[in-house]
Every structure is written in C-alpha cells, then in structure tokens.
Amino acid sequence: MLRSLLAKPSFLQGSSRCLVQATRSASSTAFDRKSIQHSGKHIKQALQGRDVVFYQAPDGVKRMFMFMYISAGVQLLFWGNLASLAYVSYSKKESDAEDAPIVLAPKGQRMAIAGGLVSVGVGIATVMCMYPWRYIDKLILLRGANRVKLVTHARFLDSHKYREYPIDQLYCKQKVFTGLGTKGVDALGKTNSSHIFLRAQGERMAYMLDRKGKFTDVKLFDGLWYNPSAR
C-alpha cells in the first residue's frame, strides 16, 4: 500500500506531458509551426537576431516601373488638357435652326464633359499604378519569426510601399517549387502564369512575386504559405 502511494500515478505522468507540449506550442512562433516539415534551421537562427530577406525581385523591373509611372503621368496630362480644352471652348448651336450661330455651351455642360475626361485619365493612370503597387520588390521575414514585411514598387505612398502582416495571415494557391528549370521554379506548362499570387486574408487584391526573382528557400516558402484551400 505504501509503495502504491509513493509511486507516481500514470494519469499525472500523462498530464505532465500534455502540459509540457502545451507550453512548447505556446512559446513557438508562426514560423516554427508552419516550417515544421521543412529544413529552415539556418533561417530560424538568423531570425533570432535580425531580419531576413526571403525574396528579391529580378533585376531590371525598377526601370520598367519607372516607364510605367511616366506613362501614367502622360495619360493624366493628355486627358487633363482635353478636359481643359472642353471646358474653355466646347460649343454648340444656340438653337435647332439650321443657320443658328454657334455659341459656348452652358457652364454646367462644359464642367460635366471636362469632369468625365478627367475621370477617364485618372482611371487609366490608377490602373497603370496598381500593378507596381502590388508587385513585391522584397519579402522580408522580420526578427522574431512572427511577422513578414512586404516592400512593393509603389512611389510617393509609403502606405502602399511598405506593408506588414502576421505570417499566418498570408497564403498562396500556387507552389513556387515545381522541379522545372535550373532553379526548380519555372511555371508548369505554357498556360501557367510566371507570377505567384500571394494573398492576405481579408484583402481582395493579391500581391505578385516573379518566379525569376531570388528565393532564399523555395520549399520553405511553400511550407509557410502554400494553401490551396484557403480563402
């Protein structure tokens, strides 16, 4: 009887093991939970002391986006000049008579036409700017391995250029690693896009990464964010 009292009950041993596992789970980072199936020890060690650039866009895209911004500015100037011309000189016949003189249109009509032309120019320029705003230049795993920082090619607006998210909030439905090409990241077939669309939960528009860019670890990238069933 005394021996049985001194012996540690089996249910207490099981409770201790559960408590240890729960403590480890609570102290683990999002990076630990998502990369458990992949070899990321060197990155995990680096994240303890500094940020790690996990993806870098290919060279040459900055020049392309510079021309895109210039084109957007030209569109604004073009449609703005048309709007100004319409407001200043848009004319119509004074009456329905065949020989009625042509006079300046009413101010309200001229403003409506000018406003429509400006709206067209702003719409075209916005669409042209949205591509670099969602194109990722750098993807940085932040120190501590719980958050990620996206750096896009947005200009003049830091709110669009720099965005931070928890690692768990991002997902993509395409695998980076395909086993094709010298780096193993070439698109599968001619119909597949050369871009990877990285999405944030709660946002409609995705971010874009180019397969030609530099990935630190493509298999670890898939382990962190590949989720074909996410919405």
Side-chain angles (χ1 to χ4, degrees):
M1 177 66 70
L2 181 61
R3 182 179 301 174
S4 63
L5 291 174
L6 293 176
K8 190 174 182 180
S10 59
F11 77 91
L12 289 179
Q13 295 177 359
S15 300
S16 299
R17 286 196 295 269
C18 292
L19 181 61
V20 172
Q21 292 175 357
T23 303
R24 289 177 179 175
S25 177
S27 61
S28 65
T29 64
F31 182 90
D32 295 328
R33 294 191 297 272
K34 291 222 169 193
S35 63
I36 192 170
Q37 301 294 332
H38 303 272
S39 177
K41 292 182 179 179
H42 63 292
I43 297 178
K44 181 180 177 181
Q45 291 174 354
L47 286 171
Q48 293 177 358
R50 61 182 176 86
D51 300 340
V52 174
V53 178
F54 201 56
Y55 164 82
Q56 175 72 58
D59 297 332
V61 295
K62 291 183 178 180
R63 183 179 180 183
M64 178 187 70
F65 288 132
M66 181 186 69
F67 285 117
M68 189 171 289
Y69 280 119
I70 292 174
S71 299
V74 170
Q75 288 292 328
L76 287 175
L77 290 175
F78 173 77
W79 291 99
N81 285 333
L82 279 182
S84 176
L85 183 63
Y87 179 75
V88 171
S89 60
Y90 180 72
S91 304
K92 59 184 297 187
K93 284 187 176 182
E94 189 175 21
S95 65
D96 294 335
E98 187 175 348
D99 57 347
I102 296 176
V103 296
L104 199 63
K107 184 177 180 180
Q109 187 176 1
R110 287 184 283 126
M111 289 183 64
I113 294 174
L117 292 172
V118 169
S119 298
V120 171
V122 171
I124 294 174
T126 300
V127 170
M128 295 179 71
C129 290
M130 286 179 71
Y131 182 57
W133 287 356
R134 307 300 288 190
Y135 188 98
I136 296 178
D137 182 41
K138 290 181 182 179
L139 188 152
I140 305 171
L141 292 174
L142 299 180
R143 180 181 177 181
N146 278 309
R147 297 183 66 85
V148 61
K149 183 177 184 179
L150 306 182
V151 183
T152 70
H153 281 275
R155 295 284 183 91
F156 315 117
L157 294 173
D158 286 347
S159 60
H160 288 281
K161 185 174 180 66
Y162 304 103
R163 299 294 299 272
E164 287 189 18
Y165 297 94
I167 286 179
D168 292 337
Q169 193 175 338
L170 299 178
Y171 67 94
C172 62
K173 297 186 177 183
Q174 304 156 282
K175 277 192 173 184
V176 178
F177 181 75
T178 60
L180 300 178
T182 56
K183 298 180 180 179
V185 297
D186 289 1
L188 291 169
K190 296 181 180 180
T191 58
N192 284 29
S193 173
S194 61
H195 290 86
I196 300 155
F197 297 96
L198 185 66
R199 299 180 179 275
Q201 294 176 4
E203 295 186 9
R204 291 186 177 183
M205 293 191 63
Y207 292 95
M208 291 175 288
L209 299 92
D210 198 323
R211 289 185 178 274
K212 297 178 182 178
K214 181 180 178 182
F215 293 87
T216 301
D217 190 327
V218 292
K219 292 185 177 180
L220 181 57
F221 185 101
D222 291 338
L224 289 172
W225 292 301
Y226 176 63
N227 187 356
S229 61
R231 291 184 179 181

